Amino acid sequence: VALYSIWDMLAKRFLLALQSTSIHRAGPDGVLRQEYIWLGDTRLQIFVGDHLLLGLLAILGLVLWSLLFLVLIYIVLRRNQQSLMEPRISRNFGFFFSGLEPDFFYWEVLVKRMDVLLVYVVTYMQFAPDVKAKLIVYL
C-alpha cells in the first residue's frame, strides 16, 4: 500500500522527464523545421544527445512502475479472487478492493489508475502540436 500511494507522484516525475514542446527553428539551409525540446532544459532536444539516456530511463520507469506494478497487483488479486474476504488477504490487499463489488476487484487498480495515467500522458506529453487537439482528447 505504501508503494501504491507514491505511484501518482512517480508517474508524474517520469512524465516530466519526457515533457516537451514543439518549436520552429531555421536549419542550416534556412528552412524552418519543427523540433521538440525538453521543457526541463530547453537547450536539449527530446531523445537527442544528453536527453537520450534520461528519456530512455523515463520510459523504462513508466513501463516498470506505472504499468507493470499495477499489473502485478492485479495478478495477485486475481490469484486470490475467491478468498479476497479472508482476513489475511483482506488485511494485505483490502485497500485495493474495499467497497467494490467482488466481481469488480480490479476496478481501482486497472481502470481508475489507467484512467489517471492516460490523463497524465495527455497533459505532460507533446503528442499533438495543437492545444485544441489535446483538449479534444480530454473529452
Side-chain angles (χ1 to χ4, degrees):
V1 174
L3 288 176
Y4 185 76
S5 66
I6 62 171
W7 178 91
D8 189 49
M9 180 188 65
L10 286 176
K12 283 183 195 177
R13 294 290 180 173
F14 289 131
L15 285 168
L16 281 173
L18 298 173
Q19 190 176 20
S20 65
T21 190
S22 61
I23 62 167
H24 296 284
R25 285 190 185 158
D29 55 357
V31 177
L32 283 178
R33 290 190 170 83
Q34 186 175 14
E35 293 180 0
Y36 290 94
I37 58 169
W38 180 41
L39 290 179
D41 184 352
T42 55
R43 296 172 297 169
L44 300 177
Q45 287 185 23
I46 194 156
F47 294 112
V48 176
D50 291 338
H51 186 266
L52 180 63
L53 180 62
L54 178 67
L56 293 175
L57 288 173
I59 288 175
L60 181 66
L62 277 172
V63 169
L64 290 178
W65 179 255
S66 299
L67 296 175
L68 189 62
F69 180 69
L70 297 177
V71 169
L72 289 175
I73 292 173
Y74 169 76
I75 289 171
V76 169
L77 292 176
R78 177 78 176 182
R79 217 178 264 169
N80 297 301
Q81 184 178 4
Q82 302 304 320
S83 58
L84 288 177
M85 295 305 156
E86 290 181 8
R88 183 181 65 84
I89 302 296
S90 183
R91 182 176 53 247
N92 291 332
F93 299 104
F95 176 81
F96 303 112
F97 60 84
S98 180
L100 300 173
E101 295 289 327
D103 291 341
F104 296 101
F105 65 92
Y106 58 87
W107 192 261
E108 172 69 25
V109 175
L110 290 185
V111 177
K112 294 311 294 176
R113 284 296 166 161
M114 288 302 154
D115 181 40
V116 169
L117 184 61
L118 288 176
V119 168
Y120 288 164
V121 166
V122 170
T123 301
Y124 290 108
M125 298 296 293
Q126 180 74 24
F127 64 90
D130 187 21
V131 175
K132 292 176 188 175
K134 276 187 156 184
L135 292 175
I136 289 171
V137 173
Y138 281 121
L139 297 175

